Amino acid sequence: MAQRMMGMSTPRCSTRLFDRPAYRPYLVQLPADPTTSKEAAAAVAAAAVLATIDEKTAGEMKVALATYLASIPDGAAKSDGVKLGEAVAVKVLEARRTNGCDAPDAYRPRTTPGVYVPTAITISSM
């Protein structure tokens, strides 16, 4: 689950939010006013994605987000950042909805603890 959290919460949102022209946008490039709060957008996007991955910590995530957003001055920049973050989260979740992360783990080695199971030889390993 940790790998899924990391992969989904750091989707190169910084490429768009922090105007790094050397990088391509990861999934989405939404139009945003230059005054939009980048911090609010990144925090809301990450929190919204993480809250959907682990329902047990969703409440904690919302509290942490509210605490963080309280440090950003209220205004149009903050509210635009929140809207942008929500839109990015929707796009990330939409793209990852069918990535197979919920597929059953059917691999069960036929061996006993401590006994080596050789890796199958495939064409790509030659």
Side-chain angles (χ1 to χ4, degrees):
M1 185 183 313
Q3 294 86 351
R4 181 165 167 77
M5 286 183 168
M6 289 301 296
M8 288 180 65
S9 66
T10 57
R12 302 246 194 276
C13 64
S14 62
T15 55
R16 175 66 183 132
L17 295 176
F18 301 112
D19 299 323
R20 294 187 178 161
Y23 299 100
R24 294 180 320 184
Y26 176 63
L27 287 174
V28 63
Q29 185 171 0
L30 299 174
D33 190 81
T35 61
T36 299
S37 172
K38 298 171 178 92
E39 296 78 11
V44 168
V49 168
L50 290 174
T52 63
I53 295 173
D54 187 9
E55 294 178 11
K56 294 182 286 187
T57 59
E60 294 174 25
M61 191 65 59
K62 290 177 183 176
V63 170
L65 176 63
T67 302
Y68 179 77
L69 289 177
S71 68
I72 299 172
D74 290 334
K78 180 178 176 178
S79 61
D80 289 347
V82 169
K83 289 176 191 171
L84 178 61
E86 290 169 347
V88 168
V90 166
K91 294 291 186 182
V92 169
L93 292 171
E94 200 173 90
R96 297 291 181 227
R97 186 183 42 171
T98 59
N99 68 355
C101 72
D102 56 352
D105 179 13
Y107 175 73
R108 298 290 177 263
R110 290 183 167 84
T111 186
T112 58
V115 176
Y116 174 72
V117 177
T119 304
I121 296 175
T122 61
I123 292 175
S124 62
S125 67
M126 294 180 162

